[in-house]
Amino acid sequence: PPAKRPASTTATPQPAAPAPATSKPAGGEKEKGKARCKRFGCNKYYDPEGPPQECVHHKAPPIFHETAKWWSCCPDRKAYDWDEFMRIPGCQTSTCSANPEGQEGKRFLGGSDLRGDCAPQRLDADAPKDPRHKLDDLRRGLVAIGVDSELFEKVWGKVAAQAGNDMDKVVALFSSRFSALLNRTDI
C-alpha cells in the first residue's frame, strides 16, 4: 500500500518585495536626457550637453555573413555568438557622438557586399549582342510606345522567312527599314 502523505498546510501568499530603484537603465532603456552613441560598436549613453565622453569604437561597419560576425575594419577577429561579437574591442578612440562623421550609408554589410569584389568576370562582356536579344529589345521598345506585340511578331516572322531565318539579316532589314522611315521628311 502507498504511504500516506502528511496533510499540507496552505500558506497565504506574501506580496513580493518592491524592486530596489537603480540609477542605471535596465537592458537598453534610454536614460533620461541622454543620447546613445552611434559610433560602430560603442552604444554607450552619454550627455550631449555635458563634457565629451571617451568612446572606443570601430571605424567600419559590421559584417554578418552566414553565422560569422566581425567588424570590417578588424577582419581577423571573427565571432559566431552575438555576445562574443559585441565583446570585440574597438580599434579607435574618440568621443561619443549621435552623428559620427564618415558613417553615412550602410550600417552593416552582408553577403552581397562581400561577393561584389569576388564576383566572376564575364568572359563575353565585350562580345557582340545576340541578334535575338536585339529583336527582343526592339519589340519591348515598340510595345512601350503602343505597337501591338502580336503585330510585331507577325512582321518579324515574315521578315525572318524572307531572310532565310538568318537573325543577323533580320536585324539588318529592320534597321534599314526603320532608318528609311525615320529619314522621311513627310512624317
Side-chain angles (χ1 to χ4, degrees):
K4 286 189 173 180
R5 288 187 169 179
S8 65
T9 58
T10 54
T12 56
Q14 298 294 324
T22 60
S23 60
K24 291 187 177 183
E29 291 178 18
K30 185 176 179 181
E31 289 186 39
K32 192 171 186 173
K34 295 199 174 187
R36 179 173 275 178
C37 179
K38 300 291 184 192
R39 293 192 187 277
F40 295 126
C42 178
N43 290 330
K44 287 184 190 175
Y45 283 101
Y46 72 101
D47 184 2
E49 308 295 323
Q53 183 174 338
E54 188 176 271
C55 170
V56 178
H57 60 91
H58 292 276
K59 64 182 175 182
I63 295 174
F64 304 110
H65 183 64
E66 295 181 358
T67 58
K69 302 156 194 60
W70 69 94
W71 295 96
S72 55
C73 53
C74 303
D76 56 327
R77 306 279 316 266
K78 289 187 180 179
Y80 294 91
D81 176 67
W82 181 258
D83 294 329
E84 183 183 347
F85 168 69
M86 292 306 289
R87 284 192 300 268
I88 297 174
C91 57
Q92 287 190 333
T93 303
S94 60
T95 58
C96 287
S97 172
N99 298 309
E101 65 284 342
Q103 290 190 10
E104 299 83 24
K106 293 189 100 173
R107 298 291 298 168
F108 64 91
L109 302 174
S112 62
D113 301 303
L114 303 177
R115 289 187 293 272
D117 295 337
C118 300
Q121 299 296 317
R122 290 195 60 98
L123 298 176
D124 62 350
D126 56 348
K129 193 170 189 176
D130 182 83
R132 285 178 176 30
H133 293 203
K134 290 179 183 180
L135 290 170
D136 195 43
D137 289 345
L138 175 63
R139 182 190 56 77
R140 279 195 305 262
L142 291 172
V143 168
I145 63 169
V147 174
D148 183 30
S149 181
E150 289 179 21
L151 175 62
F152 177 81
E153 295 296 327
K154 180 180 172 184
V155 172
W156 175 86
K158 287 182 181 178
V159 173
Q162 290 173 358
N165 288 328
D166 182 350
M167 293 302 127
D168 286 316
K169 286 183 182 178
V170 173
V171 169
L173 280 169
F174 269 114
S175 176
S176 65
R177 290 180 183 175
F178 274 106
S179 296
L181 179 66
L182 293 173
N183 283 324
R184 287 180 46 188
T185 57
D186 63 342
I187 295 180

